[in-house]
Amino acid sequence: MKKQFIFASNNKNKAEEIRSVLGDEFRIITLKEAGIHIDIPEPYFTLEENAAHKARTIFQLTGENCFSEDSGLEIEALGGRPGVHSARYSGAEANSESNMQKVLSELSEIENRKAQFKTVIFLILNEKEYHFEGICTGIIAKEKAGEKGFGYDPIFIPDGNTKTFAEMDMTEKNKYSHRKKATAKLIEFLNQETSHEKK
């Protein structure tokens, strides 16, 4: 029987990316699929704290194995911004388009376009807490390109490629993805735990 985890999110794009890496080994359900209809705030100043808060909130509600994810785009010339505020960078009514336009505007006169995507996954398994991290380094493009992906994908070019994430299909993106790297660590850990339980 597949081990089931509640993913403390309703972000379909993130759930799809994580499921594409996890494959058929584990069953992942979103908050909506679990019948949980709450909007968990992200009040903290680090990705780690926000991820922990989301997972702990769901565990307190359900007592079930669960995990959360928080990701951010960190741009060197902007002192690490937008970082933990990536989703709301352009204000309370922010969306992907307005966020990207703000970043491109702030970098318009700046040569240093180094950036990185960072993902933190926080897992609660059998009442114990674990966290996993993935980083993808790259640069911010001068303009948007591509229709795939979500968030800042149309302006982020990973090191080792000339295309933005939004110009890549899921298979190609997963060769570089910060979320893939963090999820791979999660899978390795879960496989170890599962093998121990079978012994």
Side-chain angles (χ1 to χ4, degrees):
M1 187 176 177
K2 292 181 183 178
K3 191 177 275 292
Q4 177 174 289
F5 296 87
I6 299 173
F7 177 35
S9 174
N10 276 319
N11 187 310
K12 293 180 181 179
N13 293 303
K14 289 184 177 182
E16 182 182 341
E17 276 199 15
I18 288 172
R19 284 171 175 152
S20 76
V21 181
L22 283 174
D24 297 326
E25 291 295 311
F26 305 97
R27 182 164 185 254
I28 304 302
I29 60 173
T30 62
L31 293 180
K32 184 178 180 180
E33 291 165 342
I36 300 170
H37 303 285
I38 61 171
D39 187 19
I40 307 172
E42 300 179 347
Y44 298 101
F45 295 105
T46 68
L47 299 174
E48 292 81 359
E49 288 175 304
N50 280 332
H53 174 67
K54 288 187 283 189
R56 288 168 181 160
T57 298
I58 297 308
F59 182 73
Q60 287 169 2
L61 279 174
T62 67
E64 295 185 30
N65 293 329
C66 60
F67 70 94
S68 62
E69 180 264 16
D70 204 18
S71 296
L73 175 65
E74 301 172 341
I75 300 172
E76 186 172 281
L78 301 182
R81 298 194 318 271
V84 73
H85 302 296
S86 292
R88 298 279 184 272
Y89 192 45
S90 56
E93 302 300 317
N95 57 39
S96 295
E97 183 64 31
S98 62
N99 287 335
M100 284 188 286
Q101 291 304 327
K102 181 174 182 178
V103 166
L104 291 175
S105 175
E106 290 181 330
L107 292 179
S108 62
E109 305 295 326
I110 297 175
E111 288 298 315
N112 176 12
R113 306 185 77 85
K114 290 182 182 178
Q116 67 177 29
F117 268 124
K118 180 179 178 181
T119 287
V120 174
I121 291 177
F122 194 91
L123 169 71
I124 300 179
L125 175 65
N126 301 329
E127 302 185 8
K128 294 182 180 179
E129 298 181 345
Y130 310 88
H131 87 276
F132 311 91
E133 185 179 294
I135 289 174
C136 174
T137 58
I139 61 170
I140 301 299
K142 293 291 179 79
E143 58 188 26
K144 289 165 46 187
E147 300 295 327
K148 303 183 182 74
F150 61 100
Y152 294 91
D153 284 358
I155 62 171
F156 183 83
I157 301 172
D159 288 340
N161 207 305
T162 58
K163 295 190 291 186
T164 70
F165 270 166
E167 295 177 286
M168 301 178 185
D169 60 25
M170 188 74 78
T171 300
E172 186 175 10
K173 182 179 177 181
N174 276 342
K175 293 177 182 177
Y176 305 94
S177 169
H178 48 298
R179 195 167 288 110
K180 161 70 172 10
K181 292 173 182 176
T183 306
K185 293 177 183 177
L186 171 66
I187 294 171
E188 183 180 2
F189 174 78
L190 290 177
N191 284 334
Q192 289 174 350
E193 290 298 301
T194 301
S195 65
H196 290 157
E197 289 176 4
K198 291 178 179 178
K199 290 180 180 178

